Amino acid sequence: MHHGPTPEDSAVESVLVNWRHTVANIFLPVSAIVYLPAIVLLVTGQGPPLGGLVRVAVAGCYLTLLSFALWRRIEFRARAWVILACGYALAILMGVSIPHGSFARALPIALPIFTIVLLGSREGWAATAFSAAALFFVPFFHTGQVLPAVLNASTGPPIPSRLAWTQAAAMLALLFAPVILLNRFLQFLMQSLGRLERETRERAAAYRKLEYEMQERRRLEHEVIRVGDEERRRLGNDIHDGVCQKLTGALLRCEALKRRLGLGENLAVGELSMLSSLIEESIDEAHTVAQGLGPLDSDPAALATALGLLIKRTGEASGISCRFETTGNVNVPESSTAQHLYRIAQEAVSNAARHAHAGRIAVTLRGGEDVLLLEVEDDGDGVPDGTSAVGMGFRTMAYRASLLDGELTVSPAPAGGTRVSCQVPRGNLARLEKQREVSKEASHG
């Protein structure tokens, strides 16, 4: 089915038109000047004998051809058509006047070729049809002596009809062979240029897309680094404001108890219990900070455990109803994969708790044979219709998913709210888990 010209075809056609315009400005004047000596000889009577009427007609055709060849202010297609008409007029005049001349035989074959190159395939076929008519009928003018006598041309004995047929067939074969070949080549050239133009556009678009993706990746890498820095600063503040303060309080109480012991005072058990409580609180704070620094260990089941603790802490801190479920084999033997999935869940839960005004958050981890699916669903404000989640948090989650060759989607939840899904191909997870088990057995053995 033909769908019309494409932008690539139009671009190629525009280039071809500019090329033809340039070639016409060079080729037409050069061709006209090259034929000047032969025309001068014919007009002055130095060549084959011609009648006066023929010489005047030849001179008029050539002067018209030369004028339009040199007059560049006229659009090149109009110039080419006028020069083509003059060329056919000369071909017919010379063919009728000098039937055995090489010029009369060659010009009708050359003109369609020039037409194809300068004007195009359709115009070339029109010129070919005109040349075929000229080559076919002109030899039959010389089967008798009437026309040469009118033209005052010494053409020799009349051409027999059989010979005229033979000449016409041979010249038609010489005409159509190069025309067909040139048209096929022009068609191939246009198709090749069109494909080249399309490939160039596609490569340029792919390069722009790749450049955008590289910039986006660098921006996301910087964002991941920034989030890591903020997390470390937050944990540092927690250590300073929590653990350090409690340890400082414990140290001050120890110093006070030391001074009292030095003065010989008796210490009550309750005072030591207060010191013990401060130390226990410090240990709990340090444990919490350690969980933030490294929520996962190297155990394949650590992801499910860490997600359970994340949901528990979120529910206790926010008062939101939080639930965590697992289905199937959710072991992740590769710690970096588990870390990225944990951070994705942490970001989605944090967004639901802080920004979505959610009253319920459900986290599900499903393990199948081919994929591992993490879903975080809430009943909060949801994703507005017709928009996409383009916040930096969502882009960071998508970036983490891409590092795992996974796919992150953000969509409205069936019961309202938002559902964040991250699907990661298991790929080498099963193989890595098996290798881990073999290593453990070997170490125990």
Side-chain angles (χ1 to χ4, degrees), residues 200-243:
T200 301
R201 290 177 180 268
E202 290 172 359
R203 290 182 179 180
Y207 175 78
R208 289 192 296 269
K209 182 180 178 182
L210 178 61
E211 186 177 21
Y212 170 78
E213 290 178 351
M214 291 176 63
Q215 292 175 354
E216 185 70 11
R217 180 174 290 269
R218 285 193 293 267
R219 184 162 55 249
L220 291 173
E221 288 174 350
H222 293 159
E223 179 63 17
V224 169
I225 294 173
R226 185 189 65 80
V227 170
D229 291 340
E230 288 184 355
E231 184 71 10
R232 284 189 290 271
R233 283 194 294 269
R234 184 185 67 80
L235 293 172
N237 292 332
D238 289 345
I239 293 173
H240 178 271
D241 298 336
V243 178

Side-chain angles (χ1 to χ4, degrees), residues 102-409:
S102 58
F103 183 82
R105 295 182 178 182
L107 192 56
I109 297 175
L111 287 174
I113 297 176
F114 297 154
T115 305
I116 293 172
V117 173
L118 294 179
L119 296 177
S121 180
R122 182 176 57 185
E123 292 82 353
W125 280 115
T128 301
F130 197 87
S131 292
L135 291 173
F136 185 81
F137 290 108
V138 166
F140 290 96
F141 286 125
H142 300 278
T143 55
Q145 291 288 344
V146 177
L147 187 59
V150 173
L151 297 175
N152 295 323
S154 300
T155 59
I159 299 176
S161 298
R162 183 177 299 177
L163 181 58
W165 280 104
T166 303
Q167 287 184 355
M171 298 305 293
L172 287 176
L174 290 175
L175 168 66
F176 280 100
V179 168
I180 293 175
L181 183 62
L182 184 58
N183 272 291
R184 295 293 295 177
F185 176 75
L186 181 62
Q187 182 181 6
F188 168 76
L189 180 63
M190 292 295 292
Q191 292 175 350
S192 299
L193 290 176
R195 285 195 298 268
L196 181 61
E197 179 69 19
R198 285 191 293 273
E199 290 176 359
T200 301
R201 290 177 180 268
E202 290 172 359
R203 290 182 179 180
Y207 175 78
R208 289 192 296 269
K209 182 180 178 182
L210 178 61
E211 186 177 21
Y212 170 78
E213 290 178 351
M214 291 176 63
Q215 292 175 354
E216 185 70 11
R217 180 174 290 269
R218 285 193 293 267
R219 184 162 55 249
L220 291 173
E221 288 174 350
H222 293 159
E223 179 63 17
V224 169
I225 294 173
R226 185 189 65 80
V227 170
D229 291 340
E230 288 184 355
E231 184 71 10
R232 284 189 290 271
R233 283 194 294 269
R234 184 185 67 80
L235 293 172
N237 292 332
D238 289 345
I239 293 173
H240 178 271
D241 298 336
V243 178
C244 290
Q245 294 299 327
K246 286 181 172 60
L247 289 176
T248 301
L251 177 61
L252 293 175
R253 186 165 293 276
C254 286
E255 291 292 337
L257 294 175
K258 179 182 177 180
R259 287 194 298 270
R260 291 176 60 186
L261 287 173
L263 296 175
E265 296 182 9
N266 293 324
L267 300 179
V269 176
E271 293 177 322
L272 294 177
S273 298
M274 293 179 61
L275 177 60
S276 177
S277 297
L278 283 174
I279 296 175
E280 286 179 359
E281 291 176 3
S282 300
I283 293 174
D284 291 339
E285 289 280 351
H287 181 72
T288 302
V289 171
Q291 284 291 328
L293 286 172
L296 302 174
D297 54 29
S298 58
D299 187 355
L303 176 60
T305 303
L307 290 177
L309 292 175
L310 172 66
I311 289 301
K312 181 181 178 182
R313 289 198 303 268
T314 302
E316 292 174 351
S318 62
I320 298 173
S321 174
C322 298
R323 178 172 53 88
F324 174 64
E325 294 180 355
T326 61
T327 303
N329 179 16
V330 295
N331 288 345
V332 182
E334 192 175 17
S335 59
S336 61
T337 301
Q339 290 281 355
H340 283 300
L341 289 174
Y342 178 82
R343 295 303 181 187
I344 291 173
Q346 186 182 42
E347 179 70 25
V349 170
S350 176
N351 288 337
R354 291 187 299 169
H355 306 301
H357 306 101
R360 178 185 58 83
I361 300 175
V363 178
T364 306
L365 186 64
R366 297 186 177 94
E369 294 183 0
D370 300 323
V371 297
L372 187 68
L373 178 63
L374 171 67
E375 287 186 341
V376 179
E377 184 175 317
D378 66 70
D379 62 349
D381 297 337
V383 181
D385 294 337
T387 63
S388 59
V390 294
M392 184 57 70
F394 287 105
R395 289 203 296 267
T396 303
M397 288 190 291
Y399 172 68
R400 290 186 183 275
S402 69
L403 294 179
L404 304 177
D405 293 330
E407 180 181 4
L408 183 90
T409 58

